[in-house]
């Protein structure tokens, strides 16, 4: 791809200036701003009618927290002809105040000739453009050589647009500079189908296809549109495009089954493009799930929906890494949590990360994290993370955020909050701020111990909650037993707490409370053995062999909330560790299967306990590669390879599974078998909708009978609802139908709805609690942007307090002209 006047080969950093004698890093960021044809046409009826493409303008603000780039332009007017691209970027010259001798840094961006789905020019006279990311390069750390030069080979996408390249550089001494350049990619004549965000099975849509001519002469060429798996009407024709002009042609596409659909549009021998979009099922989704570990082949019995709509049956297997992989993933994500439990967990995770990483064999990252544990201390040189390793600087930034949040939470904390934060703060003995904070919080918790040895308590507390709170307090006070005063305080607190727990042993009726007391470290001897037996008896098993500790009705944690099953299962692992009679490996299997890379195990309390349990159980490193195979009744459905170098990721295998209705045997196996890998299997399908109304809840929907592209139409919702309950209405919209935000905002101003939210294919309304016998009725406008026969989605009415009570309205068919 070239720039005006030929291929770019110039010093675009000249004039910016930066002393680079001691340059250690060049940060590059390449992003697309503009040429998002689907959004442009999806929001404009004029564009659908054939108007020429507009210029796109977007603003990028607060990139990296300090810079602001306003009015970043991407002009979609005819740019120069595509050429072999090479981008050479240099930094040279000096900056006032820099003591070092000026040097030059250069980064070269070179296009990879390989094209996804198209091949090279030798392979096909009309190679297909098929790779369209909007940002195709982000290099957070590029280390230059001694002369200040670095080369970054990249593959340029197939979008025909103007690209912007942002490069930032800093020296070892802290000096910074940067610059922005751009390059353009285009063709003399090209074709671009305007795809919807989605379609539903059974839709028939008039799809616009734009043809552009950037040359000085009119062009006449054959246009061919193909959609494998769908019926295309009018897909072959000859088009004539004036010089420096464009035309919009329409083809009718009918889709019958759900799945991913690829559209290939070719303009003679000059251009061909392949784009895809999903086709959604129209039925009600039903899902069956199972989980376990891959220590051995797992055979599971699942019963699929017998009335599944054709093409809607799919199966997905997610494979979760063992202890090291989960630890890396959590180090990447934990800093985003802001509640007290989440902040305490983030501090604890960052503080114990060096120890845990060393135990799991990753000494390089452990040493780097340890070097950054003291405020103000930095590595002598940046340590770029190798494949799968921990990004040390990201952990440091997360620790700083967690520290700030901990200080806010600790201004006037109650005892429960102090107990949540103390252990995390005390995990940083070399950080004077956190160490003093942890000591203060631990002292506050110790002072809350009552004469009978219990901790916290108050009006309305049950004895079960008091015992769990006492266990939490014991763990927090023991975390501060690193000084003579802390050891004395912890010994005194634990002795009194142990007596209180022993006196109330007869009142411990559930496995969760028994596990919490064991995990606190305050019970020993015969009391420990008795509680372990109670936990073992409470553990239950699932069909696939994974074990879990259920939470009985009425059981609460120290804050009064209902603990999650993941938290209870993690407590069971910690409570039964070292018990030869306990199924700790199967409990760990349930934890791995319930892990989510972003949310962990759901909340700070569960994350803290579950990560400790997983790391303890699955310390062995994974093999370099593990082959994962999914079979149904002995036939391979899908398979994939889990790469130990990408432990941060979760391997996801998904495939169509027609014929899964009724009972079948599914087998998941790893080659070789690995105890530290957990899996979650989900079998999904869509079944026909039926009108459903719960007691006291009924919803009706009236959609437009004669809608037109670009013109507002009205949707009417009516509902009979219980009194005094906040409700949610979710209305499914057809493809290409956008809500008119002004009409929804008017409903909020009138007090008819509390808030609203829109997305592709649906709008959600939150309703205020209504009085006895008070009906609900609301109208809002929508604007269709696609013509055709389009299937809407189902609509639902449910209460926030009882999400299991839902009233459904089956989908309606829209006719849009």
């Amino acid at each position: 791809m070239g720039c005006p006047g030929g291929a770019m080969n110039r010093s675009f950093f000249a004039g910016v200036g930066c002393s680079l004698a001691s340059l250690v890093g060049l940060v590059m960021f390449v992003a697309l701003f503009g040429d998002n044809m689907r959004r442009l046409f999806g929001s404009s009826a004029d564009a659908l009618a054939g108007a020429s493409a507009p210029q796109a303008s977007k603003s990028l603000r607060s990139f990296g927290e300090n810079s602001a780039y306003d009015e970043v332009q991407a002009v979609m007017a005819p740019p120069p002809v595509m050429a072999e691209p090479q981008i050479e970027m240099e930094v040279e010259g000096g900056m006032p105040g820099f003591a070092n001798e000026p040097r030059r840094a250069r980064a070269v961006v070179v296009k990879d000739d390989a094209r996804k789905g198209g091949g090279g020019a030798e392979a096909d006279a009309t190679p297909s453009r098929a790779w369209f990311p909007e940002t195709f390069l982000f290099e957070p750390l590029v280390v230059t050589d001694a002369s200040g030069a670095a080369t970054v080979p990249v593959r340029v996408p197939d979008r025909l647009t103007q690209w912007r390249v942002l490069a930032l550089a800093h020296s070892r001494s802290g000096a910074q500079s940067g610059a922005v350049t751009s390059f353009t990619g285009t063709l003399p004549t090209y074709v671009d189908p305007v795809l919807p965000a989605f379609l539903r099975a059974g839709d028939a849509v008039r799809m616009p296809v734009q043809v552009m001519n950037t040359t000085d002469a009119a062009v006449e060429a054959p246009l061919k549109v193909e959609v494998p798996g769908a019926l295309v009407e009018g897909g072959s024709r000859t088009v004539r495009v004036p010089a420096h002009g464009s035309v919009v042609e329409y083809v009718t596409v009918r889709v019958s089954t759900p799945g991913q659909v690829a559209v290939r549009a070719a303009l003679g021998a000059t251009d061909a493009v392949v784009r895809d979009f999903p086709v959604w099922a129209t039925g009600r989704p039903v899902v069956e799930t199972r989980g376990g570990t891959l220590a051995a082949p797992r055979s599971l019995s699942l019963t699929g929906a017998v009335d599944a709509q054709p093409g809607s049956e799919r199966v997905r297997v997610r494979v979760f890494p063992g202890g090291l992989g989960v630890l890396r993933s959590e180090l990447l994500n934990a800093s985003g949590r802001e509640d007290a439990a989440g902040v305490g967990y983030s501090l604890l995770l960052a503080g114990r990360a060096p120890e845990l990483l060393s135990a799991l064999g990753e000494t390089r990252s452990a040493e780097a994290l340890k070097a950054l544990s003291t405020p103000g201390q930095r590595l002598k040189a940046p340590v770029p993370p190798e494949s799968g390793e921990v990004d040390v600087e990201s952990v440091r930034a997360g620790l700083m955020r967690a520290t700030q949040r901990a200080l806010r939470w600790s201004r006037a904390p109650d005892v429960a909050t102090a107990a949540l934060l103390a252990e995390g703060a005390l995990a940083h003995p070399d950080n004077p701020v956190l160490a003093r904070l942890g000591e203060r919080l631990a002292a506050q918790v110790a002072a809350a111990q009552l004469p009978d040895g219990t901790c916290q308590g108050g009006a309305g507390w049950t004895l079960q909650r008091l015992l769990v709170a006492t266990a939490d307090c014991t763990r927090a006070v023991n975390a501060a037993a690193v000084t003579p005063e802390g050891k004395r305080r912890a010994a005194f607190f634990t002795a009194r707490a142990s007596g209180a727990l022993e006196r109330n042993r007869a009142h411990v009726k559930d496995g969760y409370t028994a596990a919490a007391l064991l995990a606190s470290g305050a019970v020993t001897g015969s009391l420990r053995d008795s509680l372990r037996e109670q936990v073992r008896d409470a553990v239950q098993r699932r069909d696939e062999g994974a074990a879990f500790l259920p939470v009985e009705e009425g059981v609460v944690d120290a804050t009064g909330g209902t603990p999650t099953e993941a938290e209870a299962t993690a407590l069971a692992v910690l409570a039964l560790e070292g018990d030869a009679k306990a199924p700790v490996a199967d409990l760990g299997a349930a934890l791995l299967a319930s892990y989510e890379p972003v949310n962990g195990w759901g909340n700070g309390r569960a994350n803290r306990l579950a990560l400790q349990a997983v790391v303890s159980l699955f310390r062995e490193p994974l093999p370099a590669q593990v082959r994962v195979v999914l079979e149904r009744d002995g036939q391979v459905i899908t398979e994939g390879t889990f790469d130990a170098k990408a432990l941060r990721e979760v391997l996801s295998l998904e495939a169509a599974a027609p014929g899964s209705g009724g009972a079948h045997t599914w087998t998941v196996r790893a080659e070789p078998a690995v105890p530290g890998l957990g899996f979650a299997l989900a079998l999904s399908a869509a079944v026909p909708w039926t009108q459903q109304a719960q007691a006291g809840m009924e919803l009706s929907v009236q959609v437009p009978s004669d809608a037109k592209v670009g013109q507002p139409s009205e949707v009417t919702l009516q509902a009979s609802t219980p009194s005094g309950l906040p409700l949610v209405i979710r209305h499914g919209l057809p493809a290409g139908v956008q809500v008119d935000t002004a009409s929804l905002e008017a409903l909020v101003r009138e007090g008819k709805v509390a808030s609203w939210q829109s997305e592709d294919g649906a709008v959600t309304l939150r309703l205020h609690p209504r009085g006895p016998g008070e009906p609900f009725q609301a109208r809002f406008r929508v604007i269709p942007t696609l013509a055709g026969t389009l299937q809407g989605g189902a609509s639902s009415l449910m209460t926030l307090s009882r999400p299991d009570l839902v009233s459904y309205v089956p989908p309606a068919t829209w006719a849009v002209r």
Side-chain angles (χ1 to χ4, degrees):
M1 293 184 183
C3 292
M8 179 182 294
N9 187 4
R10 61 191 181 89
S11 173
F12 79 93
F13 274 135
V16 176
C18 180
S19 175
L20 296 167
S22 56
L23 185 74
V24 297
L26 178 63
V27 182
M28 295 181 57
F29 175 74
V30 180
L32 165 69
F33 301 98
D35 195 20
N36 195 329
M37 298 294 291
R38 189 188 74 194
R39 293 180 186 169
L40 288 174
F41 278 90
S43 60
S44 170
D46 291 338
L48 289 170
S52 60
Q55 291 186 348
S57 171
K58 294 187 178 182
S59 296
L60 174 63
R61 298 180 181 271
S62 301
F63 181 82
E65 298 182 1
N66 293 320
S67 304
Y69 295 89
D70 297 332
E71 295 301 321
V72 179
Q73 301 289 333
V75 181
M76 293 166 54
V81 175
M82 180 183 293
E84 283 299 324
Q86 175 170 300
I87 303 174
E88 184 178 89
M89 301 182 295
E90 300 174 348
V91 178
E92 60 186 6
M95 180 174 287
F98 284 18
N100 298 322
E101 177 183 355
R103 293 286 182 93
R104 184 177 70 173
R106 181 177 61 194
V108 181
V109 181
V110 184
K111 179 184 175 182
D112 185 332
D113 288 334
R115 289 195 178 193
K116 178 180 177 183
E122 296 83 5
D124 193 333
T126 313
S128 298
R129 297 182 290 113
W131 188 46
F132 303 103
E134 297 196 11
T135 298
F136 70 92
L137 174 65
F138 179 79
E139 288 288 344
L141 183 63
V142 178
V143 180
T144 66
D145 58 22
S147 65
T151 298
V152 182
V154 299
R155 172 185 169 194
V156 178
D158 294 325
R159 284 185 183 273
L160 306 182
T161 188
Q162 186 176 63
W163 299 89
R164 293 182 67 83
V165 185
L166 167 65
L168 305 175
H170 69 83
S171 67
R172 184 177 290 111
S173 62
Q176 299 181 9
S177 185
V180 178
T181 190
S182 62
F183 64 95
T184 303
T186 189
L187 291 169
T189 56
Y190 58 89
V191 61
D192 232 331
V194 183
L195 306 188
F198 68 93
L199 288 178
R200 288 190 172 90
D203 282 354
V205 62
R206 292 188 69 220
M207 182 178 296
V209 181
Q210 185 182 37
V211 183
M212 297 287 295
N213 178 13
T214 69
T215 67
D216 295 329
V219 171
E220 186 170 312
L223 172 66
K224 187 174 184 180
V225 179
E226 300 172 303
V227 187
L231 179 63
V232 180
E233 298 176 6
S236 296
R237 68 188 69 177
T238 299
V239 296
R240 178 179 175 82
V241 190
H244 298 290
S246 67
V247 297
V248 176
E249 300 288 331
Y250 289 88
V251 297
T252 299
V253 177
R254 301 178 185 274
V255 293
S256 57
T257 58
Q260 203 72 13
V261 170
V263 177
R264 185 180 191 272
L267 183 66
T270 61
D271 184 33
V273 61
V274 176
R275 296 180 183 269
D276 60 1
F277 62 89
V279 177
W280 296 351
T282 57
R284 178 173 61 88
V286 292
V287 182
E288 274 212 59
T289 60
R290 296 288 190 275
T293 63
L294 295 176
R298 303 294 185 184
S299 292
L300 317 167
S301 178
L302 279 77
T303 302
V306 295
D307 56 346
Q309 293 180 338
S312 68
E313 296 166 292
R314 299 192 66 82
V315 64
R316 183 179 70 170
V317 176
R318 291 184 298 165
V319 181
F320 303 89
L324 179 57
V326 171
L327 179 57
R328 288 172 175 167
S329 178
E330 284 300 278
L331 284 169
L332 182 69
N333 297 306
S335 63
R337 302 179 173 99
E338 300 185 11
D339 60 297
V343 170
Y345 166 66
S346 298
L347 290 175
L348 183 65
L349 179 61
R352 293 188 176 174
E355 171 193 351
L356 295 175
L357 288 170
S358 296
L360 293 169
E362 191 165 301
T363 56
R364 185 173 185 264
S365 296
E367 291 172 358
L369 284 173
K370 191 173 182 180
L372 291 178
S373 61
T374 304
Q377 183 177 352
R378 299 186 65 85
L379 297 177
K380 294 181 180 180
V383 180
E386 296 179 354
S387 177
E389 281 194 353
V390 174
D391 188 338
V392 176
E393 288 293 342
S394 295
V395 176
R396 179 187 180 90
L399 175 59
M400 293 175 62
R401 289 193 293 271
T403 300
Q404 294 168 351
R405 292 164 183 164
L407 293 174
R408 288 198 299 269
W409 276 106
S410 302
R411 289 171 184 167
D414 55 19
V415 177
T417 301
L420 288 171
L421 296 173
E423 191 175 3
L426 289 165
H428 302 269
D430 297 327
N431 185 315
V433 174
L434 290 175
R436 287 195 299 269
L437 174 63
E439 174 66 23
R440 175 171 66 84
L441 294 173
Q444 179 184 349
V445 173
Q449 189 175 34
L450 301 173
D452 66 351
T454 60
C455 183
Q456 303 186 60
W461 279 54
T462 62
L463 180 58
Q464 180 269 326
R465 178 183 176 186
L466 181 62
L467 294 177
V468 173
T470 302
D472 281 3
C473 290
T474 303
R475 190 164 44 245
V477 173
N478 284 334
V482 292
T483 64
E485 171 61 22
K487 292 177 181 178
R488 183 198 64 79
R489 181 175 57 213
F492 182 70
F493 188 98
T494 302
R496 297 174 67 185
S498 179
L501 300 181
E502 188 165 359
R503 287 192 305 273
N504 290 285
R505 169 65 184 94
H507 300 287
V508 179
K509 303 294 186 182
D510 67 284
Y512 171 81
T513 304
L517 302 188
L518 284 165
S520 71
V523 295
T524 57
S526 60
L527 176 58
R528 180 187 62 187
D529 295 338
S530 172
L531 290 172
R532 278 187 168 181
E533 183 179 0
Q534 182 173 354
V535 175
R536 288 197 305 267
D537 291 342
V539 168
Q540 298 181 11
R541 288 187 177 274
R542 294 192 170 93
D543 294 341
E544 71 279 3
F548 67 100
L549 181 64
V551 179
E552 298 180 13
E553 186 175 356
V555 172
V556 298
D557 59 24
T559 64
T562 301
T564 64
E565 184 181 290
E567 179 184 342
T569 303
L571 277 174
V573 172
L574 300 176
L576 299 175
E577 193 172 7
D579 186 346
K581 301 177 182 178
V584 289
D586 293 332
L587 290 166
L591 286 178
L592 283 177
S594 62
Y595 175 74
E596 293 287 346
V598 175
N599 298 321
W601 287 273
N603 58 59
R605 293 178 62 87
N607 288 335
R608 178 184 61 182
L609 299 167
L611 182 68
Q612 184 180 348
V614 167
V615 171
S616 175
L617 284 173
F618 304 115
R619 288 182 178 272
E620 293 298 321
L622 297 178
Q625 285 190 335
V626 180
R627 179 170 172 255
V628 179
V629 181
L630 173 66
E631 298 177 345
R632 184 186 65 192
D633 299 332
Q635 299 295 318
V636 175
I637 299 298
T638 183
E639 62 181 78
T641 301
F642 194 98
D643 189 344
K645 293 182 179 180
L647 287 177
R648 232 177 261 171
E649 306 298 329
V650 173
L651 174 65
S652 184
L653 305 175
E654 187 168 350
S660 295
H664 293 273
T665 299
W666 296 81
T667 302
V668 186
R669 71 174 189 270
E671 300 174 353
V674 183
L677 283 181
F679 75 91
L681 172 66
L683 177 63
S684 63
V687 299
W689 286 99
T690 57
Q691 184 88 29
Q692 282 185 332
Q694 298 288 348
M697 297 173 55
E698 188 171 352
L699 176 66
S700 65
V701 179
Q702 182 179 347
V703 301
S705 59
D706 187 19
K708 297 180 181 179
V709 169
Q711 296 186 12
S713 298
E714 201 169 68
V715 174
T716 302
L717 303 177
Q718 292 180 307
S720 299
T721 64
S723 61
L725 294 177
L727 300 163
V728 174
I729 294 178
R730 179 179 172 85
H731 173 56
L733 294 170
V737 174
Q738 300 179 356
V739 296
D740 176 53
T741 59
S743 63
L744 292 172
E745 289 294 342
L747 293 178
V748 175
R749 289 194 301 270
E750 296 167 4
K752 292 186 176 182
V753 302
S755 63
W756 62 272
Q757 182 178 356
S758 65
E759 60 191 88
D760 282 341
V763 59
T764 301
L765 307 180
R766 292 182 177 267
L767 312 186
H768 297 289
R770 315 192 73 74
E774 182 181 358
F776 169 80
Q777 181 174 1
R779 292 184 176 88
F780 61 91
R781 293 188 299 274
V782 295
I783 303 175
T785 61
L786 292 173
T789 303
L790 306 171
Q791 312 299 313
S795 300
S796 62
L797 169 66
M798 74 176 196
T799 65
L800 292 176
S801 58
R802 289 287 306 276
D804 56 314
L805 297 179
V806 185
S807 176
Y808 290 111
V809 174
T813 300
W814 292 47
V816 182
R817 294 188 291 114

